[in-house]
Amino acid sequence: MTLLFIDHYDSFSYNLTSWFIAKNVELKIISYNEISLLKDLSQYKAIIFSPGPGHPSEYLESIELYKRIPEHIPFLGVCLGHQIFLLAEGGIVEQINPIPIHGCQVEIIDCKESKFIKNMTPKGSVVLYNSLGCKSSDPIFSNSVVSLANESGFSLIAEHKHLARIGVQFHPESFASPGGDSFLNAFLGFV
Amino acid sequence: MTNNLKISYKNKSALKNLDYFSQNILLLSDMFEKYFKQNIVCHFQIQACEGFEFEIGNNFIATNILPSQYQNIYSSENNSIILRFFCNTSKRLSTKNINNFYTLLKKSANSPLFFVTPYENSHKEESSYVIDSKFEVRLHISHDGLDLNIFNYNEKKDFINSLFQQILSIFNNKSINNYNIYHENVNLSLPENKQKNNSFLDKEIIETIEKAKDFMNKGDCYLANLTSTIPLNEKTYFISMTHFITAWLKIKSRYGIYYHDMKVGLSCFSPERFIYSHDNKMTTEPIKGTLKSNSNIPTLSDAKAIWADKKEIYEHTLVVDLMRNDLNLVCQAGSVHVYRPFYARIAGKLIQMQSSILGTLKMDKTLGDCLEAMLPAGSISGTPKKRVCEIISQLENVKRGYYTGICGILEENGDFDSTILIRSVYKGERGVYCGVGAGITTLSNAKSEYEEFLIKLNSFLHAIESPV
């Protein structure tokens, strides 16, 4: 079983890939500039979009790729990956705060159950490294996407209404996210 | 190896014994300098790690107990001080082509190699160099006394034997405490316009910090280390080895590293280890967060003060995740662990917040592979590294040169240690210079960042200026 991992040149990507490899998961790691080489996506058991710098709208090829993902293949977007997912679904991604804070931990309370993945709610605090986000009041959340958890008015965990596509604004692979492990295990268990 | 000298002298700590033997060390240095002139490298390290453990609780995936698979990683280290003099050195390589440098460090060596490389934006300006030596005089100082050994790599035995006799006479001389080493009287100060507190904090620096924060607000990066290098008044003068050692004995920085020839020079008082490997287990020990204590020796309340500063904790968290990522580039998946995070390490009057990230190297990974994958070091660049390095190049108007590069030692068995080139004086193509910097995040305040610049600069520059 091979998972496709798209790296948007982030400095935390290899924490995420190593988490999966340590679970004996086979990963195909593709850098953002190699996306055009990807032809057939149906061979992958799941597709993961890494975190990365900048605004999701700068990553046209990832947005295109997202739109090509076959409906039956689960998707996970982390941080920038979460934002690409929401942007591709029609959401607006904007600066979260006049002074975004990177590296602070949050507890996830009031998390709705995922329609697809059992026990997905992170058990423990998680860390945020983002400057941008998608408001939980965004019209997409009354359309194609559900925001399962929010933080300060922005979506922290989002899920497609009909397809197994999940985005998380937090960094589950961080050493500052004790809740990340249970989340990633739940995702892997589903895949 | 037959040339061995042991002197037992019980003292409260290795550091106290360093003071006790300081005159011997200076005499040794003076003698070596006369013999080997510019063909010598000093590499000193204080291995004692004193400080305060951060209470991890359930907040971080980390441990204050060394994981069992890493029990051996620090086994060759203890509370001692190691002084290594690499003698009769020659330059194996001096290149502006970084790939040649990495290639050499991927091979095994017949003697320990000393290596230096500038920060990446200066590869075309300053050379990376590798130095080997014919033999090494190694002093091991503990609370019990001093142990001196000579390791012969490729030197004539007769020469070593005669040198050893002279070393013995230095240590047998009981009246050395009255001996006065000759010192140059030199003023290595900053140019005058940089000395006064607020002139250094000019509009330019504030603007640069604000620009960096703009990038962060847009999500381009989360942490950027912004620096500046400063030419020293005496552009051509480089301190002598004995002068350097005199200053180091006073500062007692974790590392003390010195090399000087016609073209390049390094006198390094760095507190920060980059990567270290022993038996394929490796560690990196990034430092982020510095606080100056009001007491002579930092206390637990100083440690609590730095832990209470959220900006420091957030910034440090970023660096730990960044270094975990970089270790994952060369280590086996699942082997990377965070050990003693946010440790408030005592470094003279300063508290330095330090974490250790441990990992097991993948099969056949060498020092050259690690440097190729991991440079520039995370703690002096930022996150995400690729983007932040572009931003640094755009914002910093002076190239860094050797400042924030690295240097270290590759052992014959493939083990290695390396040091981040901060709190150092460099000689290179542009003359003699030093550098300072600070990590900028969205929470940064230009004035306090500037004060951190000054604390760091003063931690070593004064001592060099007035060594006696």
Side-chain angles (χ1 to χ4, degrees):
Chain A
M1 123 167 155
T2 306
L3 274 57
L4 175 64
F5 185 95
I6 305 295
D7 176 22
H8 299 100
Y9 303 115
D10 194 55
S11 280
F12 303 141
S13 292
Y14 282 80
N15 293 336
L16 201 49
T17 59
S18 296
W19 189 92
F20 284 102
I21 295 167
K23 302 267 173 187
N24 290 317
V25 174
E26 213 170 287
L27 279 190
K28 171 99 174 157
I29 303 170
I30 295 285
S31 294
Y32 174 70
N33 70 342
E34 299 168 331
I35 287 181
S36 58
L37 304 174
L38 286 169
K39 299 287 180 254
D40 178 23
L41 298 179
S42 62
Q43 56 180 303
Y44 300 109
K45 284 290 275 184
I47 296 176
I48 302 164
F49 277 16
S50 85
H55 193 274
S57 61
E58 296 162 32
Y59 295 87
L60 294 176
E61 302 217 20
S62 295
I63 296 167
E64 284 309 304
L65 181 70
Y66 172 81
K67 290 178 176 166
R68 278 169 52 204
I69 297 175
E71 291 196 347
H72 67 280
I73 297 182
F75 167 89
L76 170 65
V78 175
C79 198
L80 175 80
H82 165 80
Q83 295 165 4
I84 291 173
F85 159 54
L86 296 177
L87 184 86
E89 292 293 340
I92 292 168
V93 174
E94 58 194 307
Q95 194 170 321
I96 46 171
N97 194 307
I99 304 176
I101 295 172
H102 307 104
C104 71
Q105 294 170 306
V106 293
E107 294 287 335
I108 297 177
I109 32 175
D110 289 338
C111 185
K112 289 181 201 152
E113 283 295 315
S114 160
K115 186 175 168 187
F116 305 95
I117 304 175
K118 275 183 193 159
N119 299 320
M120 194 184 74
T121 308
K123 293 173 184 66
S125 51
V126 292
V127 73
L128 296 174
Y129 286 136
N130 57 305
S131 305
L132 312 176
C134 182
K135 278 191 180 139
S136 47
S137 59
D138 194 287
I140 54 161
F141 296 116
S142 45
N143 274 316
S144 57
V145 187
V146 189
S147 186
L148 301 179
N150 303 314
E151 170 66 34
S152 310
F154 285 81
S155 172
L156 200 57
I157 306 176
E159 175 175 78
H160 196 280
K161 265 192 185 150
H162 312 293
L163 308 171
R165 296 180 180 177
I166 313 284
V168 290
Q169 188 58 75
F170 64 86
H171 279 251
E173 78 292 350
S174 170
F175 91 112
S177 289
D181 207 50
S182 59
F183 168 79
L184 289 174
N185 272 318
F187 178 77
L188 192 57
F190 172 75
V191 171
Chain B
M1 191 179 64
T2 50
N3 293 311
N4 168 267
L5 165 72
K6 249 186 195 334
I7 300 174
S8 292
Y9 188 83
K10 288 210 188 295
N11 216 327
K12 271 187 215 147
S13 65
L15 282 171
K16 290 267 179 248
N17 259 343
L18 182 65
D19 288 336
Y20 178 76
F21 290 110
S22 62
Q23 290 297 321
N24 300 110
I25 294 163
L26 286 170
L27 285 167
L28 206 59
S29 153
D30 205 34
M31 178 178 91
F32 287 164
E33 211 167 16
K34 282 186 187 114
Y35 260 105
F36 307 115
K37 301 202 164 61
Q38 299 192 330
N39 297 99
I40 185 159
V41 172
C42 301
H43 189 279
F44 302 166
Q45 187 176 175
I46 294 173
Q47 294 177 330
C49 183
E50 284 175 22
F52 305 98
E53 279 179 4
F54 177 82
E55 203 176 304
I56 300 166
N58 292 322
N59 295 319
F60 297 92
I61 306 170
T63 173
N64 280 325
I65 300 159
L66 192 60
S68 59
Q69 69 269 41
Y70 293 104
Q71 287 301 328
N72 292 330
I73 188 166
Y74 294 116
S75 65
S76 62
E77 301 196 4
N78 43 41
N79 286 336
S80 57
I81 297 164
I82 307 286
L83 313 182
R84 301 174 79 177
F85 293 90
F86 295 96
C87 305
N88 258 345
T89 56
S90 50
K91 256 196 192 142
R92 178 81 74 88
L93 179 78
S94 174
T95 179
K96 288 180 182 168
N97 180 340
I98 189 69
N99 292 322
N100 294 346
F101 175 75
Y102 293 146
T103 303
L104 179 62
L105 297 180
K106 285 177 190 175
K107 296 177 194 153
S108 56
N110 300 324
S111 73
L113 296 180
F114 174 68
F115 57 89
V116 180
T117 186
Y119 179 76
E120 70 158 7
N121 72 6
S122 305
H123 285 156
K124 293 200 170 74
E125 181 206 347
E126 302 285 21
S127 300
S128 299
Y129 53 95
V130 178
I131 289 168
D132 61 15
S133 64
K134 288 198 168 164
F135 70 102
E136 174 189 345
V137 179
R138 192 184 303 177
L139 280 69
H140 183 274
I141 296 174
S142 69
H143 68 282
D144 276 337
L146 174 146
D147 205 349
L148 181 148
N149 288 292
I150 299 184
F151 296 82
N152 188 0
Y153 305 119
N154 188 23
E155 184 57 86
K156 292 188 196 84
K157 278 184 183 156
D158 291 349
F159 176 69
I160 289 192
N161 289 336
S162 75
L163 187 81
F164 185 64
Q165 291 310 313
Q166 295 183 55
I167 293 173
L168 285 180
S169 71
I170 283 179
F171 282 92
N172 289 333
N173 185 348
K174 304 287 183 217
S175 61
I176 50 164
N177 282 335
N178 302 321
Y179 185 93
N180 267 325
I181 296 274
Y182 162 79
H183 286 299
E184 310 96 309
N185 192 3
V186 58
N187 180 14
L188 259 186
S189 57
L190 296 170
E192 266 178 25
N193 61 338
K194 301 284 186 193
Q195 277 179 353
K196 288 190 198 90
N197 269 12
N198 288 321
S199 64
F200 195 27
L201 182 67
D202 48 23
K203 235 177 118 194
E204 204 176 300
I205 287 187
I206 296 177
E207 274 175 18
T208 307
I209 291 177
E210 291 306 324
K211 274 185 204 158
K213 285 159 84 170
D214 277 347
F215 280 112
M216 288 170 201
N217 290 340
K218 287 190 292 173
D220 275 316
C221 60
Y222 331 117
L223 164 69
N225 281 279
L226 290 180
T227 72
S228 185
T229 55
I230 308 148
L232 295 174
N233 260 351
E234 294 281 345
K235 280 197 175 152
T236 50
Y237 177 81
F238 200 77
I239 63 172
S240 69
M241 185 173 90
T242 306
H243 186 155
F244 166 79
I245 293 174
T246 313
W248 183 77
L249 287 169
K250 197 159 109 183
I251 300 171
K252 297 188 179 71
S253 52
R254 178 177 186 184
Y255 288 96
I257 300 164
Y258 179 87
Y259 176 74
H260 180 220
D261 67 19
M262 300 299 284
K263 285 192 161 163
V264 292
L266 172 65
S267 45
C268 168
F269 302 89
S270 176
E272 186 168 352
R273 167 177 274 167
F274 179 45
I275 49 177
Y276 167 82
S277 162
H278 175 64
D279 275 351
N280 292 326
K281 306 284 185 201
M282 80 184 275
T283 177
T284 178
E285 297 171 3
I287 289 175
K288 248 306 139 245
T290 303
L291 179 140
K292 192 174 180 199
S293 176
N294 290 325
S295 353
N296 260 342
I297 299 167
T299 61
L300 182 60
S301 65
D302 294 318
K304 284 182 175 163
I306 202 164
W307 293 329
D309 187 341
K310 286 216 157 66
K311 183 207 167 243
E312 299 288 356
I313 294 286
Y314 294 159
E315 196 177 327
H316 198 97
T317 302
L318 279 161
V319 173
V320 171
D321 269 339
L322 169 60
M323 295 316 296
R324 285 174 64 229
N325 181 81
D326 287 5
L327 232 57
N328 271 316
L329 296 171
V330 290
C331 288
Q332 294 168 21
S335 75
V336 174
H337 288 72
V338 179
Y339 167 55
R340 255 189 350 202
F342 310 105
Y343 187 72
R345 184 170 185 152
I346 296 170
K349 276 194 160 192
L350 303 182
I351 281 218
Q352 310 262 11
M353 199 151 55
Q354 166 183 316
S355 295
S356 303
I357 300 117
L358 309 165
T360 304
L361 277 171
K362 286 179 193 164
M363 287 287 280
D364 302 323
K365 287 285 179 195
T366 61
L367 170 66
D369 298 311
C370 292
L371 296 181
E372 197 171 15
M374 294 179 70
L375 285 179
S379 66
I380 50 75
S381 50
T383 49
K385 204 198 273 180
K386 184 177 180 292
R387 182 75 185 105
V388 91
C389 288
E390 294 161 8
I391 292 169
I392 286 171
S393 292
Q394 199 179 322
L395 292 184
E396 290 181 351
N397 42 20
V398 191
K399 284 204 166 126
R400 294 187 179 187
Y402 288 113
Y403 174 58
T404 70
I406 57 134
C407 76
I409 306 245
L410 173 63
E411 311 288 352
E412 299 144 280
N413 65 1
D415 288 357
F416 54 81
D417 196 6
S418 59
T419 305
I420 309 247
L421 293 179
I422 50 175
R423 295 181 216 173
S424 307
V425 178
Y426 320 91
K427 178 172 122 176
E429 300 276 346
R430 71 174 82 159
V432 177
Y433 55 100
C434 67
V436 276
I440 307 298
T441 68
T442 53
L443 299 178
S444 288
N445 167 304
K447 189 167 181 294
S448 58
E449 294 302 342
Y450 162 69
E451 279 160 5
E452 194 174 326
F453 271 40
L454 281 187
I455 289 176
K456 289 172 179 171
L457 198 59
N458 289 336
S459 70
F460 69 94
L461 215 54
H462 286 327
I464 308 177
E465 284 170 25
S466 50
V468 189

